[in-house]
Amino acid sequence: MSSVSEPGRSLEQRQVALEAALARERRVSRALREVGSALGTTLDLDDLLELILGRLTELVEADRATLYLLDEVGGELVSRVIVGQKVRSIRIKVGRGIAGVVAQTGAPIRVRDAYEDPRFEREWDALTGYRTTSMLAAPLKNHLGRTIGVLQVLNKQTAAEFGEEDEAMVTALCTQAAVAIDNSRLFMSLIQKNKELLDTKEQLERRLRDLVFLFDLERAMARAVTIDALAAAALGLATTTCEARAAAMLLVTEETGQLVEYVYDPSRPEQVERIGVREGEGLLAAALGEPEALEVTDPQRHPSFSPRVEGAFPFPVDSALLIELEGDRAPLGAIGLFSKMGPRRFDQDDRSLLRLIAANVSTAVRLQRASEARERSERLMTIGRLLSQVIHDFKTPMTVISGYVQLMQDADDRERRTAYAEEVLRQFDVLTSMQREVLEFARGERTIFVRRTYLKKFFADVRHTLELELVGKPIELVMDIDAKAVGRFDEQRMARALQNLSRNAIEAMTDGGGRLTVRAGREGDEIVMSVSDTGRGIPKEIEGRLFQSFVSAGKKGGTGLGLAIVKKIVDEHGGTVTVHSSSRGATFEIRLPQPSVEEVRRGESPSSRALGMPSTTPPSAEPTPAVSTGKSGLPLAEAAVRGAAEGEGSGRPAAGRGRPGPNRASTRGPSVKSST
């Protein structure tokens, strides 16, 4: 019997052992399936690691399990445990303690009694009140074979220590845990990268919107030529971009310091309302002195709320976003948005946009004011130069008038006094003509009286005037005139042009002396006149802009209008004026186109053709003789006075013979009159 029963018991033991092994394998297989399934369906690392630790504790029949992750930056293993009611973080240096050695070597360690192993650190047992006996620690390695953590199980419940099978199961689940940690880290990294990309995309889109907005703002404000237009452009764009129901801008006037508020209503975009406000009145006044944007969520309860200003909007103001306009030394004013459309409030994007608007508007207002100040200064300077030219040119006729008045006091003969009075009136005509000429030049008007003129007679008057100018100066006068030539031009205007050119030539040779040459004649269908000097020539820095207004070579008393008036007179005749300059002197040449016989019969002139308008021909076909100059049997003093007078009025009609009054030019263009 005993021989039979012994093999039976052996078979039963083997069967029990096999069944236990089978059950264990089933548990291992089920745990691996659950972990594998969780890897494919769960992205929460904490839940997954908790599942792995729970299944591992059951499989190896341990009391508890701990997972450490490697912090490569600090060189530490990090885990969390619950001590009492608090979650404590466990940090172990790599190479210290059993888990630290496993992380350092990458090999698993089994310990039967932890307190007998010198590598074991008892501090955490003392802190938690736990008694560690057996231990099994295995490394977590990723797909590259790098250790990323340590998995540790404590206190085998069914045996004194963990065996090889336990080590194999822990190693297998360590692989699963490492895969889960790697996947989680990759997933979190992907999420983080996507978030960064989205943030970058939003920032780029916001910056692009800001750039487009700034471009639109700059373009809108660049077209503005007044503060009102600038306010309309800036406020209109602000209401559209920030979706506000209205906008306003408060400015401190530069001259008086008064406050003016510009109110923009999108329902009436064609106009900006101007409101004069008192200091401290209105919500915009509250933004003065504030370093940041001011948001008012209940405007009607704000102490600066004004029923006259904010209460004038065609809607109840329920919110306002305001910001100061910065100036150089003091605030320029403030700009604000009122009542966001819809149920929303103004947000951070609105603040950023309003800050951009305020910066650009501040710059634009400063530039606009600087431009206006510069224009005022230039206008005053221009007026001063014009007055200087007028006063300078008035000296000669006023001197002549004074001389004739003195002669009238000493004259007993009525006929002589009448002649003196005629000469005085003649000088007043000169003054009137000069005044009209300067005004026409300033206004851009053109009025010429074209008639037939004998060059011999015309230049005889010019010669007499120049001789008086040259008295006492070391300058030789040379006249080369075609005595048979006849031209058609305005004698008075051309005499003025030649006088300006000659005066410049004389001033160029005053110091060292020289020769003044005046030539005139006909070349084909043109009358050619030239004035030459032997001075130092024209400075290079002004040669290219010689005929512009107020360009002068720095001569004393010069205003820079003389040559500009010359060019204007020549242009009125449809002619050209050119200059040739060198170190040996300068030559100014005037060319006046002359009409053909057929054009004279039709009453046309080259000047009217050049200016694109018809000319007017008076009924009289007879030339009006110019007043002859010279002594005419008068006393020497009278002749000198008369000569000085004729220096300004060469070629003018004789006093008392239809002395022309001032011609009022049309603003539509030049007025050209001709006479045969």
Side-chain angles (χ1 to χ4, degrees):
M1 285 295 291
S2 60
S3 61
V4 175
S5 60
E6 189 67 30
R9 286 195 300 270
S10 176
L11 288 174
E12 290 176 358
Q13 291 174 352
R14 291 178 60 189
Q15 182 179 357
V16 171
L18 289 173
E19 289 176 352
L22 180 60
R24 186 168 58 253
E25 291 298 328
R26 286 176 177 173
R27 290 197 305 272
V28 172
S29 178
R30 184 170 63 251
L32 292 176
R33 284 198 307 270
E34 290 178 358
V35 172
S37 177
L39 284 173
T41 59
T42 303
L43 296 176
D44 191 325
L45 181 60
D46 290 339
D47 292 344
L48 186 59
L49 293 178
E50 185 178 351
L51 174 64
I52 292 174
L53 292 177
R55 293 296 177 266
L56 181 61
T57 303
E58 294 176 5
L59 289 175
V60 299
E61 299 171 338
D63 182 51
R64 63 175 58 179
T66 306
L67 188 142
Y68 296 94
L69 294 179
L70 179 62
D71 179 7
E72 295 183 354
V73 177
E76 296 177 323
L77 292 173
V78 183
S79 182
R80 291 178 298 173
V81 296
I82 298 177
V83 180
Q85 298 296 324
K86 297 182 180 180
V87 177
R88 300 293 298 270
S89 177
I90 301 176
R91 290 185 173 271
I92 301 174
K93 285 289 184 181
V94 173
R96 292 186 57 185
I98 293 176
V101 173
V102 171
Q104 187 179 46
T105 61
I109 296 176
R110 282 182 289 155
V111 177
R112 180 181 181 87
D113 189 349
Y115 278 75
E116 294 181 357
D117 194 315
R119 296 170 297 183
F120 179 70
E121 294 183 338
R122 306 181 182 185
E123 289 83 0
W124 286 105
D125 275 6
L127 179 64
T128 59
Y130 188 77
R131 178 66 168 81
T132 303
T133 55
S134 57
M135 291 181 61
L136 172 58
L140 299 174
K141 294 186 178 182
N142 61 13
H143 64 287
L144 298 176
R146 294 176 57 187
T147 300
I148 61 173
V150 174
L151 198 155
Q152 175 181 277
V153 291
L154 306 175
N155 296 355
K156 179 79 171 179
Q157 294 179 343
T158 59
E161 61 179 325
F162 295 99
E164 293 182 358
E165 292 183 356
D166 297 326
E167 183 178 329
M169 284 188 288
V170 170
T171 302
L173 287 176
C174 280
T175 302
Q176 299 286 352
V179 172
I181 292 170
D182 261 2
N183 288 344
S184 176
R185 286 178 173 175
L186 289 173
F187 178 71
M188 294 304 295
S189 175
L190 181 62
I191 291 177
Q192 182 65 28
K193 293 296 183 185
N194 285 341
K195 185 177 182 302
E196 291 175 358
L197 288 175
L198 287 175
D199 292 342
T200 303
K201 178 174 176 290
E202 290 178 357
Q203 292 176 3
L204 291 175
E205 290 176 347
R206 188 180 301 111
R207 290 182 180 179
L208 179 60
R209 288 196 304 269
D210 291 347
L211 288 175
V212 173
F213 172 75
L214 283 175
F215 175 76
D216 293 339
L217 182 63
E218 290 286 349
R219 184 174 59 179
M221 292 194 300
R223 293 194 294 264
V225 295
T226 63
I227 294 294
D228 288 27
L230 178 66
L235 297 178
L237 196 58
T239 53
T240 302
T241 306
C242 298
E243 299 179 350
R245 300 187 66 180
M249 182 170 69
L250 180 70
L251 285 182
V252 182
T253 55
E254 198 171 17
E255 295 83 5
T256 63
Q258 295 178 342
L259 298 177
V260 178
E261 186 162 329
Y262 299 83
V263 181
Y264 179 84
D265 184 357
S267 62
R268 295 178 297 172
E270 69 281 354
Q271 62 181 359
V272 174
E273 185 178 1
R274 290 168 54 112
I275 302 175
V277 298
R278 297 183 297 273
E279 185 176 355
E281 181 184 13
L283 295 176
L284 285 172
L288 297 177
E290 292 290 335
E292 297 294 333
L294 176 64
E295 184 174 4
V296 181
T297 56
D298 192 358
Q300 299 191 17
R301 294 188 178 181
H302 195 277
S304 297
F305 180 83
S306 172
R308 189 176 71 88
V309 181
E310 287 81 21
F313 286 117
F315 55 87
V317 179
D318 56 17
S319 61
L321 185 61
L322 318 163
I323 192 169
E324 181 185 80
L325 297 177
E326 296 181 0
D328 294 329
R329 293 182 295 273
L332 296 174
I335 189 170
L337 303 172
F338 298 91
S339 295
K340 184 87 169 178
M341 291 184 179
R344 299 172 296 163
R345 296 287 185 182
F346 293 109
D347 54 20
Q348 187 60 38
D349 289 342
D350 296 324
R351 289 172 175 266
S352 300
L353 287 174
L354 188 60
R355 193 174 292 110
L356 286 175
I357 295 171
N360 282 269
V361 169
S362 298
T363 302
V365 169
R366 288 196 296 267
L367 291 176
Q368 180 70 25
R369 288 181 172 178
S371 176
E372 292 175 354
R374 185 169 58 254
E375 288 179 2
R376 287 194 297 269
S377 175
E378 291 176 354
R379 192 178 300 116
L380 291 173
M381 187 180 300
T382 301
I383 293 173
R385 287 174 172 174
L386 281 172
L387 290 175
S388 175
Q389 171 72 16
V390 171
I391 293 172
H392 177 72
D393 289 346
F394 273 19
K395 289 180 180 179
T396 301
M398 293 300 293
T399 302
V400 174
I401 291 172
S402 175
Y404 275 119
V405 169
Q406 294 175 22
L407 290 174
M408 288 174 66
Q409 289 178 343
D410 299 332
D412 297 330
D413 186 7
R414 180 180 179 83
E415 183 179 351
R416 191 177 297 277
R417 289 171 66 88
T418 301
Y420 291 158
E422 289 289 345
E423 292 298 335
V424 170
L425 290 176
R426 183 169 177 264
Q427 294 307 311
F428 278 116
D429 284 343
V430 172
L431 292 174
T432 302
S433 173
M434 292 168 61
Q435 173 191 352
R436 183 175 63 251
E437 185 178 87
V438 173
L439 289 176
E440 289 175 355
F441 177 80
R443 297 169 181 167
E445 299 173 350
R446 299 178 179 182
T447 303
I448 59 174
F449 185 76
V450 177
R451 63 180 179 177
R452 187 178 184 185
T453 304
Y454 293 93
L455 298 191
K456 179 180 179 180
K457 182 62 178 174
F458 174 75
F459 278 96
D461 297 338
V462 171
R463 180 187 186 96
H464 184 74
T465 301
L466 295 179
E467 287 175 346
L468 292 173
E469 289 274 352
L470 295 174
V471 172
K473 297 176 182 177
I475 297 176
E476 176 188 0
L477 175 61
V478 177
M479 302 288 290
D480 183 6
I481 310 299
D482 185 352
K484 298 180 180 180
V486 179
R488 297 181 64 83
F489 50 83
D490 187 323
E491 296 181 41
Q492 176 185 338
R493 291 300 187 92
M494 290 309 302
R496 174 75 168 167
L498 290 170
Q499 180 183 356
N500 286 351
L501 292 177
S502 300
R503 181 180 296 170
N504 286 345
I506 292 170
E507 290 176 351
M509 299 182 293
T510 299
D511 296 335
R515 183 171 61 254
L516 173 63
T517 304
V518 179
R519 293 186 174 89
R522 184 158 186 144
E523 295 182 4
D525 58 353
E526 292 182 326
I527 291 293
V528 181
M529 309 176 189
S530 66
V531 177
S532 303
D533 65 69
T534 56
R536 291 170 296 183
I538 299 169
K540 292 293 184 181
E541 60 269 17
I542 65 169
E543 190 171 354
R545 50 191 180 93
L546 197 59
F547 296 101
Q548 297 177 10
S549 302
F550 308 121
V551 174
S552 175
K555 64 184 180 181
K556 184 177 181 181
T559 62
L561 281 177
L563 292 179
I565 291 176
V566 170
K567 188 175 189 308
K568 179 177 179 294
I569 294 172
V570 174
D571 289 343
E572 289 169 355
H573 286 77
T576 60
V577 55
T578 56
V579 59
H580 305 280
S581 176
S582 68
S583 59
R584 295 188 299 273
T587 299
F588 287 84
E589 183 180 85
I590 296 174
R591 289 183 173 268
L592 304 179
Q594 299 298 298
S596 63
V597 176
E598 188 64 27
E599 289 171 340
V600 172
R601 290 176 181 173
R602 293 197 303 266
E604 296 180 359
S605 66
S607 57
S608 63
R609 294 198 311 273
L611 297 170
M613 61 176 297
S615 64
T616 303
T617 305
S620 174
E622 293 299 325
T624 303
V627 176
S628 61
T629 58
K631 297 182 181 179
S632 303
L634 297 175
L636 181 61
E638 179 182 347
V641 173
R642 181 184 292 275
E646 290 163 351
E648 289 289 346
S650 300
R652 294 185 56 83
R657 295 191 58 185
R659 186 170 58 249
N663 292 321
R664 189 174 300 277
S666 170
T667 57
R668 296 182 180 179
S671 173
V672 181
K673 299 180 181 179
S674 65
S675 172
T676 58

